[in-house]
Amino acid sequence: MRAMVLALAMGLVIAGVQAQAAPIQKVAAVPFSGGTQTVLYVGPQNPSAIVVSFAGGAGQLKIAPDGKIGIGGNFLVRTRELWVDRGVGVVIPDMPAGYANLFNRRNTSEYGDAIAKLVAFAKTQANVPVWLVGTSQGTNAASNGGARLTHGEIAGVVLTASITRPGGKPLFKETVFDNRLAAINVPVLIVSHAGDSCVQTPPGDGPKLKAALTASPRSEVVLMSGGLPAKSDACEAFAEHGFYGVEIETVQRIVDWMNRR
């Protein structure tokens, strides 16, 4: 009888721990000077850090009130559970209401205000370090935020598949070098895939980008390799550009680097 009671008690404890460990998910509307952006937050009960994740492309994700994402293939969006599994909360902003797209707008002062408000929102979720993480066109946003938030608001910046060269169309003229990279005074990790053949994100530009971060106390260039055969265009999410097939290794490498602070 005593053994049965003990087993039952242990079962209740385990169930309680599992319930306590269930991730938090919420959708919020975050206002800024140019309007409002819908935001999805996903995180563990006690995160060690929070990343504000800036997707690439046009920036539209179609986040629903229940947290489902209509356009969710982007590297940072589809890996959100990998970050949570590693103790990191994730803030994912949708394209602001009223915007047609985010092309050539991520480097602006207006979007800089949107980034500041996202960081403030992240800090309402937990009192932990906040990092800006961007991929592809989202690196324009992350570097813009890093250049503007220079008074301790953020812990660092991570740039993956960075836009270092303009594209051939007017929509694709914005690059990370249009931001004041020399003003970024937090650690910066630059991550590329060695096989990325997108003309706007050549991995060989990593050292040039690192050299521009003259105020960063710690910066590093990391090259990933391997993965699965591409099933999208070279500049899309399911190719080397989007770390297709090496998502786990890439997220782990980033989280390990963040934890070295």
Side-chain angles (χ1 to χ4, degrees), residues 61-126:
L61 302 178
K62 295 186 177 180
I63 298 174
D66 63 358
K68 292 182 179 178
I69 297 179
I71 305 175
N74 182 268
F75 164 62
L76 291 179
V77 177
R78 72 175 188 265
T79 60
R80 58 192 181 276
E81 292 182 0
L82 296 179
W83 298 87
V84 175
D85 290 344
R86 287 154 180 78
V88 178
V90 182
V91 171
I92 301 176
D94 209 338
M95 183 176 70
Y99 278 37
N101 56 63
L102 277 173
F103 292 122
N104 295 330
R105 302 186 76 162
R106 291 176 171 96
N107 288 357
T108 64
S109 59
E110 180 178 90
Y111 199 67
D113 181 63
I115 296 167
K117 298 302 190 298
L118 291 170
V119 171
F121 169 79
K123 291 183 176 181
T124 66
Q125 307 309 304

Side-chain angles (χ1 to χ4, degrees), residues 115-140:
I115 296 167
K117 298 302 190 298
L118 291 170
V119 171
F121 169 79
K123 291 183 176 181
T124 66
Q125 307 309 304
N127 184 26
V128 295
V130 176
W131 291 69
L132 304 181
V133 183
T135 197
S136 192
Q137 292 283 346
T139 59
N140 293 321

Side-chain angles (χ1 to χ4, degrees), residues 23 25 27 54 74 79 110 146 161-162 167 174 182 193 196 199 225 254:
Q25 176 173 299
V27 175
F54 297 98
N74 182 268
T79 60
E110 180 178 90
S162 303
E174 190 177 61
H193 193 293
D196 188 350
V199 295
S225 62
I254 295 170

Side-chain angles (χ1 to χ4, degrees), residues 70-242:
I71 305 175
N74 182 268
F75 164 62
L76 291 179
V77 177
R78 72 175 188 265
T79 60
R80 58 192 181 276
E81 292 182 0
L82 296 179
W83 298 87
V84 175
D85 290 344
R86 287 154 180 78
V88 178
V90 182
V91 171
I92 301 176
D94 209 338
M95 183 176 70
Y99 278 37
N101 56 63
L102 277 173
F103 292 122
N104 295 330
R105 302 186 76 162
R106 291 176 171 96
N107 288 357
T108 64
S109 59
E110 180 178 90
Y111 199 67
D113 181 63
I115 296 167
K117 298 302 190 298
L118 291 170
V119 171
F121 169 79
K123 291 183 176 181
T124 66
Q125 307 309 304
N127 184 26
V128 295
V130 176
W131 291 69
L132 304 181
V133 183
T135 197
S136 192
Q137 292 283 346
T139 59
N140 293 321
S143 56
N144 182 17
R148 295 176 186 276
L149 301 174
T150 58
H151 296 91
E153 301 95 332
I154 58 174
V157 176
V158 179
L159 306 174
T160 70
S162 303
I163 299 287
T164 55
R165 303 190 187 189
K169 298 180 180 179
L171 283 177
F172 306 145
K173 296 302 182 185
E174 190 177 61
T175 78
V176 291
F177 291 112
D178 295 326
N179 291 311
R180 296 178 298 113
L181 299 180
I184 299 177
N185 59 3
V186 292
V188 181
L189 178 64
I190 301 161
V191 185
S192 297
H193 193 293
D196 188 350
S197 59
C198 179
V199 295
Q200 291 180 263
T201 60
D205 281 355
K208 179 183 177 182
L209 178 52
K210 182 181 186 298
L213 300 164
T214 54
S216 172
R218 177 168 67 103
S219 61
E220 185 177 345
V221 176
V222 168
L223 281 180
M224 304 301 296
S225 62
L228 297 172
K231 64 176 185 179
S232 70
D233 291 341
C235 293
E236 299 296 332
F238 293 98
E240 289 89 344
H241 179 74

